[in-house]
mmCIF file of all heavy atoms in Angstrom:
data_model
loop_
_atom_site.group_PDB
_atom_site.id
_atom_site.type_symbol
_atom_site.label_atom_id
_atom_site.label_comp_id
_atom_site.label_asym_id
_atom_site.label_seq_id
_atom_site.Cartn_x
_atom_site.Cartn_y
_atom_site.Cartn_z
ATOM 1 N N ASP A 234 12.620 -18.279 3.488
ATOM 2 C CA ASP A 234 12.572 -19.439 2.541
ATOM 3 C C ASP A 234 11.456 -20.386 2.719
ATOM 4 O O ASP A 234 10.955 -21.039 1.781
ATOM 5 C CB ASP A 234 13.865 -20.248 2.648
ATOM 6 C CG ASP A 234 15.068 -19.461 1.959
ATOM 7 O OD1 ASP A 234 14.697 -18.651 1.045
ATOM 8 O OD2 ASP A 234 16.225 -19.592 2.434
ATOM 9 N N LYS A 235 11.086 -20.434 3.923
ATOM 10 C CA LYS A 235 9.886 -21.342 4.209
ATOM 11 C C LYS A 235 8.655 -20.472 4.193
ATOM 12 O O LYS A 235 8.503 -19.493 4.925
ATOM 13 C CB LYS A 235 10.038 -21.970 5.673
ATOM 14 C CG LYS A 235 10.945 -23.097 5.665
ATOM 15 C CD LYS A 235 10.336 -23.989 6.715
ATOM 16 C CE LYS A 235 10.920 -25.475 6.489
ATOM 17 N NZ LYS A 235 10.629 -26.367 7.542
ATOM 18 N N LEU A 236 7.694 -21.007 3.372
ATOM 19 C CA LEU A 236 6.593 -20.412 3.184
ATOM 20 C C LEU A 236 5.287 -21.098 3.843
ATOM 21 O O LEU A 236 5.363 -22.294 3.917
ATOM 22 C CB LEU A 236 6.248 -20.173 1.694
ATOM 23 C CG LEU A 236 6.902 -19.264 0.948
ATOM 24 C CD1 LEU A 236 6.671 -19.291 -0.444
ATOM 25 C CD2 LEU A 236 6.551 -17.675 1.459
ATOM 26 N N PRO A 237 4.285 -20.350 4.306
ATOM 27 C CA PRO A 237 3.169 -21.110 4.716
ATOM 28 C C PRO A 237 2.485 -21.633 3.607
ATOM 29 O O PRO A 237 2.403 -21.046 2.453
ATOM 30 C CB PRO A 237 2.450 -20.046 5.593
ATOM 31 C CG PRO A 237 2.819 -18.641 5.080
ATOM 32 C CD PRO A 237 4.243 -18.893 4.533
ATOM 33 N N PRO A 238 1.639 -22.673 3.767
ATOM 34 C CA PRO A 238 1.033 -23.395 2.554
ATOM 35 C C PRO A 238 -0.201 -22.545 2.139
ATOM 36 O O PRO A 238 -0.888 -23.099 1.187
ATOM 37 C CB PRO A 238 0.388 -24.704 3.215
ATOM 38 C CG PRO A 238 0.710 -24.625 4.757
ATOM 39 C CD PRO A 238 1.424 -23.327 5.055
ATOM 40 N N TYR A 239 -0.460 -21.369 2.592
ATOM 41 C CA TYR A 239 -1.426 -20.581 2.232
ATOM 42 C C TYR A 239 -0.976 -19.299 1.238
ATOM 43 O O TYR A 239 -1.789 -18.469 0.961
ATOM 44 C CB TYR A 239 -2.467 -20.120 3.187
ATOM 45 C CG TYR A 239 -1.831 -19.698 4.554
ATOM 46 C CD1 TYR A 239 -1.282 -18.326 4.579
ATOM 47 C CD2 TYR A 239 -1.461 -20.475 5.601
ATOM 48 C CE1 TYR A 239 -0.784 -17.934 5.762
ATOM 49 C CE2 TYR A 239 -1.056 -20.062 6.683
ATOM 50 C CZ TYR A 239 -0.565 -18.722 6.871
ATOM 51 O OH TYR A 239 0.020 -18.202 8.033
ATOM 52 N N PHE A 240 0.269 -19.170 1.244
ATOM 53 C CA PHE A 240 0.790 -18.054 0.482
ATOM 54 C C PHE A 240 1.706 -18.455 -0.741
ATOM 55 O O PHE A 240 2.416 -19.405 -0.591
ATOM 56 C CB PHE A 240 1.682 -17.149 1.445
ATOM 57 C CG PHE A 240 0.800 -16.261 2.192
ATOM 58 C CD1 PHE A 240 1.347 -15.656 3.302
ATOM 59 C CD2 PHE A 240 -0.482 -15.862 1.839
ATOM 60 C CE1 PHE A 240 0.615 -14.658 4.162
ATOM 61 C CE2 PHE A 240 -1.263 -15.004 2.661
ATOM 62 C CZ PHE A 240 -0.735 -14.509 3.705
ATOM 63 N N ASP A 241 1.807 -17.618 -1.742
ATOM 64 C CA ASP A 241 2.733 -17.787 -2.848
ATOM 65 C C ASP A 241 2.630 -19.149 -3.393
ATOM 66 O O ASP A 241 3.828 -19.738 -3.771
ATOM 67 C CB ASP A 241 4.185 -17.400 -2.250
ATOM 68 C CG ASP A 241 5.087 -17.249 -3.419
ATOM 69 O OD1 ASP A 241 4.728 -16.663 -4.389
ATOM 70 O OD2 ASP A 241 6.309 -17.691 -3.293
ATOM 71 N N GLN A 242 1.567 -19.700 -3.629
ATOM 72 C CA GLN A 242 1.378 -21.145 -4.294
ATOM 73 C C GLN A 242 1.569 -20.885 -5.789
ATOM 74 O O GLN A 242 0.959 -19.859 -6.334
ATOM 75 C CB GLN A 242 0.094 -21.758 -3.891
ATOM 76 C CG GLN A 242 -0.008 -22.017 -2.375
ATOM 77 C CD GLN A 242 0.946 -22.920 -1.868
ATOM 78 O OE1 GLN A 242 1.117 -24.025 -2.443
ATOM 79 N NE2 GLN A 242 1.665 -22.615 -0.896
ATOM 80 N N ASP A 243 2.136 -21.854 -6.453
ATOM 81 C CA ASP A 243 2.268 -21.707 -7.840
ATOM 82 C C ASP A 243 1.057 -21.521 -8.579
ATOM 83 O O ASP A 243 0.820 -20.753 -9.676
ATOM 84 C CB ASP A 243 3.091 -23.030 -8.460
ATOM 85 C CG ASP A 243 4.457 -23.036 -8.033
ATOM 86 O OD1 ASP A 243 5.065 -21.895 -7.745
ATOM 87 O OD2 ASP A 243 5.060 -24.121 -7.935
ATOM 88 N N GLY A 244 -0.097 -22.016 -8.159
ATOM 89 C CA GLY A 244 -1.447 -22.001 -8.756
ATOM 90 C C GLY A 244 -1.844 -20.515 -8.895
ATOM 91 O O GLY A 244 -2.766 -20.423 -9.701
#
Side-chain angles (χ1 to χ4, degrees):
D234 283 336
K235 276 215 153 168
L236 282 172
Y239 44 83
F240 279 162
D241 192 39
Q242 299 294 306
D243 288 335

